[in-house]
Amino acid sequence: MKYGIAIFPSKTVQDQANALRKRYDPRYSLIPPHITLKYPFETDPEKIDEVTQELRKVAGSVDPFYIHINKVSTFEPITNTIYLKVEPIEQLKMLNEQLQQGIFENNQDHSFVPHITIAQDLVHDEFRDIVGRLKMEGFEIKDYIDRFQLLYELENGSWTVYETFLLGKE
Amino acid sequence: MKYGIAIFPSKTVQDQANALRKRYDPRYSLIPPHITLKYPFETDPEKIDEVTQELRKVAGSVDPFYIHINKVSTFEPITNTIYLKVEPIEQLKMLNEQLQQGIFENNQDHSFVPHITIAQDLVHDEFRDIVGRLKMEGFEIKDYIDRFQLLYELENGSWTVYETFLLGKE
């Protein structure tokens, strides 16, 4: 089964991201706005207890923290994904790092760039237009993060939460 | 903020339900297939810690259990919702009951009918046609339930998981 690990920002930030995703992200309805901590990985559902036990430890090792978002960026020329750039503070990097080692396969090709995707799969002209407009608009978001989620993918490509892990507990 | 409490059945059952929902439920993409334990209720987000604390107690009071689904039913003449009927075993009723008392407002108008919605808002002829076909098909599902989820509604009508509660723990 395919699992992923992500942070959902607050409702306010999700609503703000969705206002853009609704128009610019064809995968909008498959998962709420999120910061990916670990990209999709395969695990036998029978071994999921081992995974959740480890995730409780990881969550417990980092206290809740604030994230900051102050710009829009893109992954070009690799992809034309547009995202809200989350400042890569120590706590985010620690969480991400711990999810690429020990019982977790390192399945991250590039360095960790915490972000909330707001647009993808756009045609070139639309991409340029939207990037330009969003960069002008500017963003200034501060958000409190105290949990992350383990999710699994359904046949239709959507994601269901399996379990929530609270930061700094246990 | 609007919250709700629900059980997600296993991936297998969600996939099976989604194959139908995709065609017959216009609200398909707003939330994964689920059994509602408590209908949407308003709570001040600042008081959510009190709610989660209570939900941990409720979850701890009931051990994991199996659900059985062996028929399709409808809420007509009230609505033309079609659903997979979940046998109302004691554990489900206990969970539902505890979520209508104490700090939880009783916001349930009818008696508790545990179910997984697979179709709604259909026009009359389509409704009759689909009910007939699904009743002939028959269903025989057994599924293991060991958790429930507290969710909140976003501006666009979709639901994000806030926290997972494991049955029979603590």
Side-chain angles (χ1 to χ4, degrees):
Chain A
M1 220 152 105
K2 205 186 264 177
Y3 293 88
I5 301 173
I7 289 170
F8 297 140
S10 68
K11 175 179 181 296
T12 311
V13 175
Q14 288 183 64
D15 286 337
Q16 203 174 343
N18 268 344
L20 297 164
R21 294 172 85 223
K22 185 172 190 166
R23 294 163 66 190
Y24 305 127
D25 184 352
R27 287 179 244 168
Y28 158 69
S29 69
L30 300 177
I31 187 169
H34 60 280
I35 301 164
T36 300
L37 283 180
K38 183 174 180 64
Y39 282 97
F41 59 103
E42 282 289 337
T43 294
D44 184 340
E46 299 198 348
K47 290 187 181 148
I48 201 63
D49 282 355
E50 198 186 333
V51 172
T52 57
Q53 208 176 322
E54 192 62 24
L55 290 179
R56 264 187 288 275
K57 272 191 226 161
V58 172
S61 74
V62 173
D63 281 330
F65 54 88
Y66 283 92
I67 55 168
H68 292 88
I69 295 168
N70 50 37
K71 65 182 264 198
V72 161
S73 194
T74 83
F75 283 128
E76 70 174 335
I78 300 167
T79 72
N80 69 1
T81 296
I82 306 172
Y83 59 86
L84 300 175
K85 183 169 167 54
V86 180
E87 278 183 36
I89 56 166
E90 201 49 44
Q91 290 97 321
L92 278 173
K93 288 195 278 189
M94 274 171 61
L95 286 173
N96 171 259
E97 230 168 67
Q98 291 185 75
L99 301 177
Q100 313 296 332
Q101 60 190 31
I103 69 161
F104 298 108
E105 167 202 9
N106 182 343
N107 66 343
Q108 197 166 279
D109 293 338
H110 304 278
S111 65
F112 178 51
V113 179
H115 67 279
I116 299 171
T117 294
I118 50 175
Q120 57 190 327
D121 303 339
L122 300 170
V123 295
H124 185 76
D125 284 0
E126 199 180 19
F127 170 76
R128 283 265 69 87
D129 185 55
I130 294 162
V131 170
R133 206 153 45 72
L134 291 177
K135 280 193 187 265
M136 286 229 299
E137 248 181 57
F139 287 87
E140 187 56 55
I141 297 169
K142 187 182 174 188
D143 204 25
Y144 182 67
I145 304 297
D146 65 355
R147 62 196 60 217
F148 62 78
Q149 313 282 349
L150 173 65
L151 305 100
Y152 53 90
E153 191 181 28
L154 299 184
E155 287 301 313
N156 68 357
S158 71
W159 292 82
T160 296
V161 166
Y162 184 72
E163 194 164 331
T164 311
F165 299 90
L166 304 181
L167 300 179
K169 299 267 168 159
E170 291 179 40
Chain B
M1 221 154 102
K2 204 186 265 176
Y3 292 88
I5 301 172
I7 289 170
F8 297 140
S10 67
K11 174 179 182 296
T12 311
V13 175
Q14 288 183 64
D15 285 338
Q16 202 172 344
N18 268 344
L20 296 164
R21 294 172 85 222
K22 185 173 189 168
R23 295 162 65 189
Y24 306 127
D25 184 353
R27 286 178 245 170
Y28 159 70
S29 70
L30 300 177
I31 185 169
H34 60 279
I35 302 165
T36 300
L37 284 180
K38 183 174 181 63
Y39 282 97
F41 59 103
E42 282 290 338
T43 295
D44 184 339
E46 298 197 350
K47 290 187 181 148
I48 201 63
D49 283 354
E50 197 186 334
V51 171
T52 58
Q53 207 176 322
E54 192 62 24
L55 290 178
R56 264 188 287 276
K57 273 191 226 161
V58 172
S61 75
V62 173
D63 281 329
F65 54 88
Y66 282 92
I67 54 168
H68 292 88
I69 295 168
N70 50 38
K71 64 183 267 197
V72 161
S73 194
T74 81
F75 283 129
E76 70 173 330
I78 301 167
T79 71
N80 69 0
T81 296
I82 306 172
Y83 59 86
L84 299 175
K85 183 169 167 53
V86 180
E87 278 184 34
I89 57 167
E90 202 48 45
Q91 291 95 324
L92 278 173
K93 287 196 278 189
M94 274 171 61
L95 287 173
N96 171 258
E97 227 168 68
Q98 290 184 75
L99 301 177
Q100 313 297 333
Q101 60 191 32
I103 68 161
F104 297 108
E105 168 202 7
N106 183 346
N107 64 343
Q108 195 166 280
D109 293 336
H110 304 278
S111 64
F112 178 51
V113 180
H115 68 279
I116 299 171
T117 294
I118 51 176
Q120 56 190 327
D121 303 338
L122 298 171
V123 295
H124 185 76
D125 285 359
E126 198 180 20
F127 170 75
R128 283 264 70 85
D129 185 53
I130 293 162
V131 170
R133 206 152 45 73
L134 291 177
K135 281 195 186 262
M136 286 231 297
E137 248 181 57
F139 286 87
E140 189 54 56
I141 296 169
K142 187 182 173 186
D143 204 24
Y144 183 67
I145 303 297
D146 65 354
R147 63 196 60 217
F148 62 78
Q149 313 282 349
L150 172 65
L151 305 100
Y152 53 89
E153 192 181 27
L154 300 185
E155 286 301 315
N156 68 357
S158 71
W159 292 81
T160 296
V161 167
Y162 183 71
E163 194 163 330
T164 310
F165 299 90
L166 303 181
L167 299 179
K169 298 268 166 159
E170 291 177 37

